[in-house]
């Protein structure tokens, strides 16, 4: 008698695991990816809209005060620009991976599915880690200044700018931790499917 | 084919070890001082927490590369090594990008925040830091290539599963 097709799963080939009903692990992975997408998108958007304008009175000529208007924008610092770009790209990657997990079971990947997912996950972890850390140390410089280099801190004058930047940084670090876990799970899946 | 894979990974790890070691050493030995308007202006790597983090991260990566180089390929922890490689690559990219951000301010300044560049006063320090950053950048790229190669070698059906 031929073996029943419902009881045995083919153990070779890359696309075979996704044919059957989704296990609990797969739903956990999709949930984690959704959370990581939300975190990176939030970080990118909050830093993108980060702007504060303040007028300072620097002198008084007669009775009219002389005003100076200063703006703090995220574009002034290359580290923050890189932060926005890195988080934007990572959120696009997470969205694509969620789509592939949910809707992509019918597309033919030519046996490369788990390979591409693991490699892309690893590259995006490196990208987000670079962006988040550069912005974190730049924010630390803005908060504390550097007395050796005679650089003044700016957070006492632009408090709201610093607060919003800090919020975006926290979101990005949460996203980094989630993406690291996702990358480790993807690599473990690849190692298991090659047994 | 197993031998080729082992030779290539060992070569890549040796390269990464050399790069991280030189990055640590060059950053630690960078210091310069100048007298500007009767004020002593000295620059060391400990003046900035970013550069301290850079030295610590590169030192951790050097120690890890050294330990893994002496690990036999038949041991059972090779799967853990693949995952730890990803973590160390992330550490290296984070440290190099943070140091690059601060070094860029030191070189060009930031006119919006009123921060003046310091490379004009302490040129030797700037050159040393540039050398350390280049070595760290090479180390990060080598670790990324090592990760891609490990993943590719594990996935390709031509190679056996265990190295």
């Amino acid at each position: 008698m031929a073996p029943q097709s419902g009881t045995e799963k083919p153990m070779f080939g890359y696309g075979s695991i996704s044919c059957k009903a989704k296990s609990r692990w797969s739903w956990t992975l999709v949930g984690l990816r959704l959370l990581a997408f939300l975190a990176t998108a939030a970080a990118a958007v909050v830093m993108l809209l980060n702007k504060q304008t303040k007028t300072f009175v620097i002198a008084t000529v007669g009775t009219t005060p002389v005003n100076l208007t200063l703006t703090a924008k995220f574009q002034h610092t290359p580290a923050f620009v890189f932060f926005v770009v890195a988080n934007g790209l990572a959120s696009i990657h997470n969205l694509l991976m969620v789509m592939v997990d949910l809707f992509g079971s019918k597309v033919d990947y030519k046996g490369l599915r788990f390979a591409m997912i693991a490699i892309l996950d690893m590259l995006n972890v490196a990208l987000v880690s670079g962006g988040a850390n550069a912005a974190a140390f730049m924010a630390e410089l803005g908060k504390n200044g550097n007395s050796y280099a005679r650089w003044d801190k700016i957070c006492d004058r632009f408090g709201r700018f610093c607060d919003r930047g800090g919020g975006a940084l926290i979101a990005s670090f949460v996203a980094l931790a989630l993406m690291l876990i996702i990358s480790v799970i993807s690599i473990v899946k690849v190692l298991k499917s090659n047994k | 084919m197993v031998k080729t894979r082992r030779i290539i990974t060992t070569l890549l790890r040796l390269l990464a070890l050399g790069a991280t070691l030189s990055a640590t050493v060059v950053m630690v030995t960078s210091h310069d001082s100048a007298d500007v308007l009767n004020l002593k202006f000295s620059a060391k790597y400990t003046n900035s927490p970013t550069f301290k983090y850079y030295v610590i991260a590169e030192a951790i990566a050097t120690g890890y590369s050294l330990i893994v180089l002496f690990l036999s390929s038949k041991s059972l922890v090779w799967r853990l090594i693949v995952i730890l490689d990803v973590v160390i690559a992330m550490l290296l990219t984070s440290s190099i990008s943070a140091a690059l951000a601060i070094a860029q301010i030191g070189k060009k300044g930031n006119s919006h925040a009123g921060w003046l560049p310091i490379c004009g006063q302490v040129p030797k320090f700037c050159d040393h830091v540039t050398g350390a950053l280049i070595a760290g950048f090479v180390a990060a790229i080598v670790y990324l290539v090592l990760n891609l190669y490990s993943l590719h070698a594990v996935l390709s059906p031509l190679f056996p599963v265990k190295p």
Side-chain angles (χ1 to χ4, degrees), chain B residues 83-104:
Chain B
I83 293 183
L84 275 182
D85 271 344
V86 174
V87 174
I88 295 285
M90 182 191 83
L91 186 70
L92 280 180
T93 54
S94 76
S95 68
I96 186 65
S97 67
L100 267 173
I102 302 297
Q104 197 260 352

Side-chain angles (χ1 to χ4, degrees), chain B residues 14-38:
Chain B
L14 266 176
L15 196 58
L17 177 69
T20 46
L21 190 61
S22 61
T24 321
V25 167
V26 169
M27 183 63 94
V28 167
T29 58
S30 67
H31 57 87
D32 195 8
S33 57
D35 280 319
V36 174
L37 303 171
N38 224 11

Side-chain angles (χ1 to χ4, degrees), chain A residues 81-113:
Chain A
V81 174
F82 177 53
F83 176 80
V84 169
V85 167
N87 276 288
L89 284 176
S91 66
I92 292 179
H93 159 82
N94 281 325
L95 192 62
L96 266 177
M97 289 296 137
V98 165
M99 296 290 157
V100 160
D101 265 341
L102 288 180
F103 306 124
S105 12
K106 312 249 181 343
V107 181
D108 173 34
Y109 297 103
K110 298 183 183 42
L112 281 179
R113 175 186 175 147

Side-chain angles (χ1 to χ4, degrees), chain A residues 14 129-130 133 151-152 190 194, chain B residues 79 93-94 97 115-116 154-155:
Chain A
Y14 292 111
S129 97
N133 267 284
W151 289 336
D152 291 330
V190 155
N194 207 26
Chain B
R79 282 189 215 108
T93 54
S94 76
S97 67
W115 292 337
L116 298 172
V154 163
L155 301 172

Side-chain angles (χ1 to χ4, degrees), chain A residues 14 76-79 82 114-115 118-119 122-123 125-126 129-131 133-134 137-138 140-142 146 148-154 157 176 180 183-184 187-188 190-191 194-195, chain B residues 39-42 46-50 53 78-79 82-83 86-87 90 93-94 97-98 101-102 104-106 110 112-118 144 147-148 151 154-157 161:
Chain A
Y14 292 111
H76 292 333
T77 322
F82 177 53
F114 288 149
I119 289 180
M122 196 196 75
L123 288 178
V125 161
S129 97
N133 267 284
F137 278 104
M138 185 63 69
E140 191 269 342
L141 185 65
N146 195 329
Y148 301 98
R150 316 278 194 279
W151 289 336
D152 291 330
K153 55 179 145 177
I154 63 167
R157 284 181 283 164
L176 181 63
L180 188 59
S183 175
V184 165
I187 293 182
V188 163
V190 155
L191 292 177
N194 207 26
K195 265 194 135 7
Chain B
L39 289 167
K40 193 132 171 61
F41 200 67
S42 89
T46 44
N47 290 351
S48 161
T50 314
Y53 171 66
W78 68 279
R79 282 189 215 108
V82 171
I83 293 183
V86 174
V87 174
M90 182 191 83
T93 54
S94 76
S97 67
I102 302 297
Q104 197 260 352
I105 288 200
N110 193 331
H112 301 284
W115 292 337
L116 298 172
I118 63 166
L144 281 176
N147 270 326
L148 288 175
L151 280 181
V154 163
L155 301 172
S156 168
V161 173

